[in-house]
Amino acid sequence: MLKFAITSISAACLLMSCTEQTTPTTNGAEEVFAAVQADPVLDFSNRADFDAADRGFIATLEGEITDANGTPVYAPAAYDFLKADAPATVNPSLWRQSQLNAKHGLFEVVDGIYQVRGFDLSNMTLIKGDKGWIIVDPLITKETAAAALALANKHLGERPVVAVILTHSHIDHYGGIRGIASPEDIASGKVEIIAPAGFTRETVAENILAGNQMARRAGYMFGPFLPKGPEGHIGSGLGQGISTGNSGLIPPTHEITLTGETLNIDGVEMVFQMTPGAEAPEEFMFYMPQFKAFCQAEEINHTQHNLLTPRGAQIRNGLKWSKHIDDTIQMFGDKIEVSFGSHHWPTWGNADVLDFYEKQRDTYRYIHDQTLRLANHGMTMVEIAEQIELPKSLASEFYNRGYYGTTNFNSKAQYQYYYGWFDGNPAHLNPLEPVAEAKKMVEYMGGSTAVLDKAQQDYQDGEYRFVATALNYVIFAEPENKTAKTLLAKAYTRLGYQSESGPWRDFYLTGAQELTTPLLKDVIINTSNPDMIANLPLDLFFDLMAVRLNGPKAAGQDMKVNFNFTDTGEQAALHLKHAVLNTRMGQQHEDATATIMLSRTDLNRIILKQTSFPALMKEGTVKVDGSLLKLRKFMSLQDDFDYWFNIVIP
Ligand SMILES: [Zn+2]
């Protein structure tokens, strides 16, 4: 059985990964097609990024990073196949980006600042303080973070970790914290943890209610089920792979709330800039005067980022994002000599840094402004996305290319941010649901055989986008139509090969895989870790219970349930009525149907599926006052979510 770790909670980057490779995806290998052409605006002879990505290399790790049982969690060399020239199955621009992201090891940024790159999706930065290391963003899992720290200690001299800076609430920026700091060291004051205000809540709040849908789609977006190789996953544009070890969360000891706040950590002065509502709900960047160095966190990147991530999340505002970058330029622009982030490689030299910042700023601003300009001319979301193109001065910079977010998807996101999904056309107000629409559509088109004939011809002519549209109708009308599935898988594969975006490639190739091979339903999906559950705010837990309430089944029920936490003293009063579950924190119903008394620790174990309510009630650990029968009924109204719902078939 495949062992598989996924955490749905958080991430600009979801988190999944596969320790064994699955069946190869592609159907296109036997066919001969012309190589994918990159946008001619790009100058591939410009090797400056390669020089920057190699600059300061000190050493790397041979072999794999493993967990305590010896199970591999990340193999920095797994992408060594990228050292070859771009094959016909990959967009050369994405290939180039992956070559850069695949470089791994310990690098000197400047004397006193170091990065370990290519040990996970993100970078870990180490800053030399008076007594020890200040670590910025300790990767996704404790195993990769520990390996990164060990590599630095080996080559730069052993130093204790004195502080950890978490730039934002996505798991690739905090998940590995247990690999570099223990809760005891934090409690004793040996290690300080600094994060933006609201950090702990945001680590779960961004995704908790919507988690299963996001996690499933992230399985498309990051390609964990695809083989790594020229016909499969080659990187996500933001970074290469995602480590599969153990993630954790330790709450900060100091929160930053205001731009301009200055801290002196172990002799290193840091001036913080808050950037809420852009790449993450809460995030900061910071400037270090003594190094003339700026940490750009994930607001400025060597890729266009997502204004809406295709795994699904709340939409980000390109205007706000661009203004944060402009603030950076105004506050620190004349001082910065080196800029580094939590993904990709650094940028050196004030002129290059400023050019980079301005063009990243203007990319998000252009997409935001031009989307609204065209919308105000009456164009719809899809029309705008088809037409919008960055001006040459922005599009010709590799760091503005859509390796992660794309101009097309981001312009749709800005349309959606302001107008929602409806374009005002009454035909789109209330169409039939997909299967009913597909059946009618195929019937109107003269039946599936006629559609397939035309699709085959269009496929030969390279009209993959419409082939995908037409065959999607056939498959939703006739889910057993094997010919349609095979041809659609081929079209998706070709679209994947053409994509400049890592996530787009993975969406298409995963779609192709799911059309032609059974879903991996025996793969164990683990969507949470104990630290996150322990830090889950209770009100969010009850909101999640309300989301899991099966409305139709709950219709007509009227029940009041109290929760009373014996260890923390917290209380909650739940009221199920009108098929809705309302919760008031810190209260108890006097006329409750049932009152549950349990510890928060036991609740955490229940959420982690290590035990259950009935088991704990049998043990006597959970006590109930009131009607047990009605409480059982109440609990039976909670839905469980299945990870493996269908996407490419009805
Ligand atoms: Zn990240």
Side-chain angles (χ1 to χ4, degrees), residues 12-13 168 172-173 238 298 343:
C13 337
H168 62 291
D172 52 322
H173 303 268
L238 187 66
E298 199 169 329
H343 294 278

PDB file of all heavy atoms in Angstrom, residues 12-13 168 172-173 238 298 343, ligand 1:
ATOM      1  N   ALA A  12       0.164  27.933   0.904  1.00  0.00           N
ATOM      2  CA  ALA A  12       0.145  28.477  -0.419  1.00  0.00           C
ATOM      3  C   ALA A  12       0.504  27.316  -1.234  1.00  0.00           C
ATOM      4  O   ALA A  12       0.474  27.300  -2.426  1.00  0.00           O
ATOM      5  CB  ALA A  12       1.203  29.498  -0.561  1.00  0.00           C
ATOM      6  N   CYS A  13       0.831  26.363  -0.561  1.00  0.00           N
ATOM      7  CA  CYS A  13       1.429  25.199  -1.015  1.00  0.00           C
ATOM      8  C   CYS A  13       0.678  24.189  -0.252  1.00  0.00           C
ATOM      9  O   CYS A  13       0.730  24.196   0.878  1.00  0.00           O
ATOM     10  CB  CYS A  13       2.806  25.211  -0.514  1.00  0.00           C
ATOM     11  SG  CYS A  13       3.364  26.816  -0.157  1.00  0.00           S
ATOM     12  N   HIS A 168       5.145  33.833   7.858  1.00  0.00           N
ATOM     13  CA  HIS A 168       3.690  33.773   7.689  1.00  0.00           C
ATOM     14  C   HIS A 168       3.154  32.387   8.007  1.00  0.00           C
ATOM     15  O   HIS A 168       3.903  31.473   8.321  1.00  0.00           O
ATOM     16  CB  HIS A 168       3.261  34.276   6.307  1.00  0.00           C
ATOM     17  CG  HIS A 168       3.779  33.499   5.131  1.00  0.00           C
ATOM     18  ND1 HIS A 168       5.101  33.490   4.758  1.00  0.00           N
ATOM     19  CD2 HIS A 168       3.130  32.720   4.236  1.00  0.00           C
ATOM     20  CE1 HIS A 168       5.245  32.753   3.674  1.00  0.00           C
ATOM     21  NE2 HIS A 168       4.072  32.258   3.335  1.00  0.00           N
ATOM     22  N   ASP A 172       4.754  25.621   4.835  1.00  0.00           N
ATOM     23  CA  ASP A 172       6.142  25.493   4.357  1.00  0.00           C
ATOM     24  C   ASP A 172       7.044  26.544   5.008  1.00  0.00           C
ATOM     25  O   ASP A 172       8.235  26.613   4.720  1.00  0.00           O
ATOM     26  CB  ASP A 172       6.222  25.577   2.826  1.00  0.00           C
ATOM     27  CG  ASP A 172       5.539  26.798   2.244  1.00  0.00           C
ATOM     28  OD1 ASP A 172       4.474  27.189   2.763  1.00  0.00           O
ATOM     29  OD2 ASP A 172       6.069  27.376   1.270  1.00  0.00           O
ATOM     30  N   HIS A 173       6.482  27.333   5.932  1.00  0.00           N
ATOM     31  CA  HIS A 173       7.260  28.362   6.617  1.00  0.00           C
ATOM     32  C   HIS A 173       7.326  28.143   8.130  1.00  0.00           C
ATOM     33  O   HIS A 173       7.941  28.917   8.827  1.00  0.00           O
ATOM     34  CB  HIS A 173       6.715  29.751   6.262  1.00  0.00           C
ATOM     35  CG  HIS A 173       6.736  29.953   4.783  1.00  0.00           C
ATOM     36  ND1 HIS A 173       7.789  30.534   4.125  1.00  0.00           N
ATOM     37  CD2 HIS A 173       5.868  29.542   3.819  1.00  0.00           C
ATOM     38  CE1 HIS A 173       7.563  30.504   2.819  1.00  0.00           C
ATOM     39  NE2 HIS A 173       6.401  29.900   2.610  1.00  0.00           N
ATOM     40  N   LEU A 238       7.229  27.360  -7.716  1.00  0.00           N
ATOM     41  CA  LEU A 238       7.567  28.019  -6.456  1.00  0.00           C
ATOM     42  C   LEU A 238       8.756  27.316  -5.813  1.00  0.00           C
ATOM     43  O   LEU A 238       9.577  27.920  -5.134  1.00  0.00           O
ATOM     44  CB  LEU A 238       6.357  27.950  -5.525  1.00  0.00           C
ATOM     45  CG  LEU A 238       6.437  28.721  -4.213  1.00  0.00           C
ATOM     46  CD1 LEU A 238       6.477  30.219  -4.474  1.00  0.00           C
ATOM     47  CD2 LEU A 238       5.258  28.374  -3.310  1.00  0.00           C
ATOM     48  N   GLU A 298       7.478  35.898   1.242  1.00  0.00           N
ATOM     49  CA  GLU A 298       6.958  35.321  -0.005  1.00  0.00           C
ATOM     50  C   GLU A 298       6.130  36.352  -0.778  1.00  0.00           C
ATOM     51  O   GLU A 298       5.275  36.019  -1.578  1.00  0.00           O
ATOM     52  CB  GLU A 298       6.132  34.059   0.295  1.00  0.00           C
ATOM     53  CG  GLU A 298       5.944  33.170  -0.924  1.00  0.00           C
ATOM     54  CD  GLU A 298       5.359  31.815  -0.601  1.00  0.00           C
ATOM     55  OE1 GLU A 298       5.605  31.288   0.501  1.00  0.00           O
ATOM     56  OE2 GLU A 298       4.642  31.272  -1.466  1.00  0.00           O
ATOM     57  N   HIS A 343      11.523  31.451  -0.861  1.00  0.00           N
ATOM     58  CA  HIS A 343      11.559  30.570  -2.027  1.00  0.00           C
ATOM     59  C   HIS A 343      12.591  31.174  -2.991  1.00  0.00           C
ATOM     60  O   HIS A 343      12.867  32.369  -2.942  1.00  0.00           O
ATOM     61  CB  HIS A 343      10.195  30.498  -2.716  1.00  0.00           C
ATOM     62  CG  HIS A 343       9.136  29.831  -1.872  1.00  0.00           C
ATOM     63  ND1 HIS A 343       8.993  28.463  -1.786  1.00  0.00           N
ATOM     64  CD2 HIS A 343       8.196  30.349  -1.046  1.00  0.00           C
ATOM     65  CE1 HIS A 343       8.009  28.161  -0.959  1.00  0.00           C
ATOM     66  NE2 HIS A 343       7.494  29.288  -0.481  1.00  0.00           N
TER      67      HIS A 343
HETATM   68 ZN    ZN B   1       5.726  29.286   0.756  1.00  0.00          ZN
END
